Amino acid sequence: MENTALVRLTNVGYATSGSVILDDIDLTISGGDVLGISGPNGSGKTTLLRLLATLHKPTRGDYFILGATPSSSPEALLEARLRIALIGHYPSLWPEMTLLENVEMIDRLRGTGPSSVDPLETVGLKDLAGWKASRTSLGMQRRVEFARILNHIPRLLLLDEPHAGLDEAGRPLVDHLINKVIDQNGAVIMVSHHQYLVNPVLTRRGEVTSGTLQEIST
Amino acid sequence: MTATTFWKQVTWVVHKDLRVEWRGGETLWMATPFAALALLLAPLATGTDTALIRRIGPGMLWLVVILFGMTISLRPGSYDSRPVRDLLTLNGLDPAADYLGKSLAGTLMLFGVTVALTPIMIVLYAPQGNPHWVGLAVLAITGTLGMGLLGTLVGTLVRGLRVRTALGPLLAVPPAVPVLLATSRGTDSALSQGSILTWLLLLIGMDLALIILGVLLAGPLNETTA
Amino acid sequence: MRRPTLADTAPPKTPVLIGAVSLCLLVGALYLALTAPPDQQQGEAAKLLFVHVPSIITAYIAYGIGLISAIWYLIRRSMAADRISSSAIEIGVVFTAITLATGMIWGRYVWGVWWDWGDARMISTAVLFFLYLGYLALRRSIQDPRIRAGRCAVLGIVAFVQVPIVHYSVLWMRTLHQGATIIRPDLANSTVDSAFGLPLGVSILAFLSLLLFLMSVRVRVTSLEDDLSRRLGTDQPVGALIVPPRLQGENGG
C-alpha cells in the first residue's frame, strides 16, 4: 500500500547547534489517519511537527511528505507545502490588520476568490470581522487561524496544542476542522495534552520521549 | 510557478507591507520628523556660514536620507513574526518575490521621505542653481531603490538576532556609500546643469547587481530562519 | 566516544612547513627592504610600500577566497567551506587594517596629514574595511553553526560584489569634481625602479605565504572549537535530560 501513504519518515533525526532533538523517528501516515501525540516538555514534539511541515529539514534519515523528499525539486516542495497547514504555538496573525483582512490576505496570496461560506461566521467571529487582531485574545486569534484553513482544506493538517486559549464553546471547532480534513481523505497530526487525546476522533496515539516516537496501541 | 503569479506575489507583499506600515506607522512617522530635525541641527554644528550652508544642502539631505532611511528599511514592521513567516512559506510565497516586494515597499517609503524632506532642505539651506528636476527625480528613484534593496537584504541577514538594531546599520551603511556619492554628487551636477549620466549608470548597475544577488540568494537565506 | 589525546592538539606538518617558509621570506623581504636605497623624492618613507602594497594585495586575495568558498558553501553546504571562507575574511580584515595604517603613516610623513580626502584609494579602502568589519560582527552574533554559515556566506558574496561599486564611486567622486588632479606623489603609484622591484616581489610572496599559514591555523582552530563543543555536548536527545521538577515537602520528596 505504498501509494496511499501521505507521509513516510524513515530513521529521521534532527540536531541543531550540536544537540540532538529528534533521533530515529519512523512514521507512516495514510489518508484518514488522525494521530494524537503527547510527551513531556522539550521532548521534541514541536520540532517533529515542523519537520512534517517541511519547515525544518531533517539532519539525517529519509522522508516523503506529500511528494517532497530530500532530493525533490523546488516545484515538488512547493506543491507539498500548499497542501500542508500548521497551527503552531503562537498565533500567525498580523496584529495591525483586521480579522477579516487576516483571512483575506491569505486567500489573495493563494489566488483564490472569496468562498461561498463566510469562514468567520463559521468560527463565530462575524461581528468582530473589522477588529484589529492586536485587540483580540489568543482564543479569538486561534479561531481566525481555523477560519483561514476552512477556506483551503489541507491534505495534511498539523496542530500544535490547538486547544490552548480556546474556550469551552470554541473547542468543538478543532474536531470540526479534523473531520473536514478526513472527509477529503487527508490526515491530521495533533500534539496535545493527555486530556485531549482521549478524544474518539483520534485513530492513533503516540508519545514522544527522549527524541523518539513510540506509538501506543489502542 | 508562472511569471504572472510571481509578480502577483511581489505586488501582494508591497500591498501587505505598506498596509502594515500605514497602520502601525511607528517608524515612518518618527523617522521623518527626526530627519528634518537633523537638517535643522547640521548648520548649527558647522557654524551658520551662509556660503557653506548653501553648498552642503543637497549633500546633507542625502546623508540624512541614508542614515535615517536605513532605519526605515530595517523597520520592525518589515519583520514578519516567525509564525507568520511559516504561514507564508506554507501558502507558497516565493522568497525571491518576498525580497523584491519588501524592497519595493521600502523604496516607496524612502522616496516619500526624500520628497517630504526636499522642501525643508530648500527652505533651510537655500541651495543655488538651476535644478534639472527630471534628472533629480530619476536620481532619487534609482538611489532609494538601491537603499530599499540593501535594507531588505540586510534586514533578512539580521532577522531574529538580539543585536539586530545595532548590527543592521553597520551592515547596511558601508555598501550604501555609492548611493550617497551618486545622489549627492549627482545632485550637485544637476544643480549646475552638469551631466548626471555617470552617476545614474552607477546606481542602475548597483540596483541590478542587488536585484540579481537578492533573487539568487533569497532561497538559501530563507532556509536560515532563526 | 574517544577521549582526546595530546596528539590531537599537535599541529599537523603542512602548516608548520608553510609557517617556516613564510618566516624565511619575511626575513628576506625585511633585509632587502632595509638595504634598498632611499627613494629620491620620498626618502625612507617610500619603504612603507613594501608593507602597504603586499598587504592590500593579500587582503583582496583573502576576500576572493572568502567569496569562492562562500559560493562553495551554498552549493555543497560544507562546514569546511564555511571555515575557509570566514578565516580568509577575518585575515583579510587584518591586512586591510595594516594597509590603512601604513597609508596613514606614509601620508603624515609625505603630505603632512594622517588622512587625505584627495586619495580615492584610501577612502574606498576604509569603506571596504567597514564592510568586512560588519561581516565579523554578524558572525559573532549568531550561535547556530548552520544559520551562521548560511547568512555569512550570503554576506560574503554581497560584500565582494559591492567592492568594485564602492571603489568606482569614490574614484569618480574625485575625478568628476576636481578640475585638474594635482600631480603629487601617491604611495601605491610610487615609481617602482629596479632597486624596488626585488624587495617588493619578495615581500608580496612573503605576505601571501603568511596568508596561507594564518588561514591553515585559523581553519584548524575553528574545527577544533567545533570538535570541542561537540565533545562537551551530549549524544543524548535533549528531552532525555529534562526531569520532572523536584518539589520539596511533597511525598517526602
Side-chain angles (χ1 to χ4, degrees), chain B residues 192-216:
Chain B
S192 55
Q193 297 292 307
S195 168
I196 57 165
L197 193 65
T198 320
W199 294 122
L200 215 50
L201 288 177
L202 180 87
L203 284 176
I204 291 170
M206 181 174 156
D207 292 351
L208 282 177
L210 287 172
I211 288 173
I212 294 167
L213 277 182
V215 167
L216 285 178

Side-chain angles (χ1 to χ4, degrees), chain C residues 211-228:
Chain C
L211 168 69
L212 267 183
F213 171 66
L214 291 175
M215 270 185 65
S216 64
V217 172
R218 200 68 193 103
V219 167
R220 197 173 144 67
V221 167
T222 46
S223 97
L224 283 173
E225 277 171 357
D226 289 356
D227 227 34
L228 182 68

Side-chain angles (χ1 to χ4, degrees), chain A residues 136-168:
Chain A
T136 58
S137 70
L138 177 64
M140 289 159 75
Q141 299 189 17
R142 275 264 179 278
R143 291 196 197 190
V144 174
E145 294 190 287
F146 290 151
R148 277 174 177 162
I149 292 178
L150 284 171
N151 269 359
H152 321 275
I153 299 297
R155 206 67 205 287
L156 178 62
L157 176 63
L158 305 166
L159 302 168
D160 198 353
E161 304 194 2
H163 300 91
L166 280 183
D167 56 10
E168 209 62 52

Side-chain angles (χ1 to χ4, degrees), chain C residues 15 23-24 61 106 120 125-126 151 162 164 184 187 195 222 227 229 247:
Chain C
L23 189 66
C24 291
I61 289 178
W106 182 88
T125 306
R151 292 193 184 182
Q162 280 297 117
R184 53 185 194 166
L187 181 53
T222 46
D227 227 34
S229 65
L247 304 174

Side-chain angles (χ1 to χ4, degrees), chain B residues 53-114:
Chain B
I53 288 171
R54 288 205 158 150
R55 242 175 338 110
I56 63 171
M60 282 309 301
L61 171 71
W62 282 110
L63 180 64
V64 158
V65 167
I66 283 182
L67 291 181
F68 293 85
M70 278 304 164
T71 64
I72 293 172
S73 284
L74 297 164
R75 69 198 178 280
S78 77
Y79 297 103
D80 291 316
S81 65
R82 184 174 171 154
V84 168
R85 268 188 285 123
D86 292 344
L87 176 80
L88 298 182
T89 303
L90 290 180
N91 283 290
L93 179 63
D94 187 327
D98 192 32
Y99 168 70
L100 287 183
K102 274 196 175 351
S103 300
L104 282 176
T107 303
L108 285 172
M109 287 179 216
L110 288 167
F111 187 74
V113 171
T114 310

Side-chain angles (χ1 to χ4, degrees), chain A residues 50 53-56 75 78 81-82 84-86 90-94 96-98 101 105-106 108-110 132 148, chain B residues 1 9 12 15-16 19-20 23-24 26 77 80-93 222-223 225:
Chain A
R50 292 183 65 81
T54 73
L55 294 169
H56 282 327
E75 289 76 19
L78 180 68
R81 283 177 169 171
L82 286 171
I84 297 173
L86 168 71
Y90 303 100
S92 58
L93 269 65
W94 289 283
E96 299 86 355
M97 294 197 201
T98 67
E101 284 168 338
M105 284 305 276
I106 295 303
R108 223 170 288 155
L109 177 60
R110 297 183 71 112
K132 275 194 193 176
R148 277 174 177 162
Chain B
M1 207 187 323
Q9 289 195 346
W12 183 87
H15 180 168
K16 167 186 68 92
R19 180 178 285 186
V20 167
R23 299 273 174 81
E26 76 276 1
D80 291 316
S81 65
R82 184 174 171 154
V84 168
R85 268 188 285 123
D86 292 344
L87 176 80
L88 298 182
T89 303
L90 290 180
N91 283 290
L93 179 63
N222 196 47
E223 282 171 30
T225 45

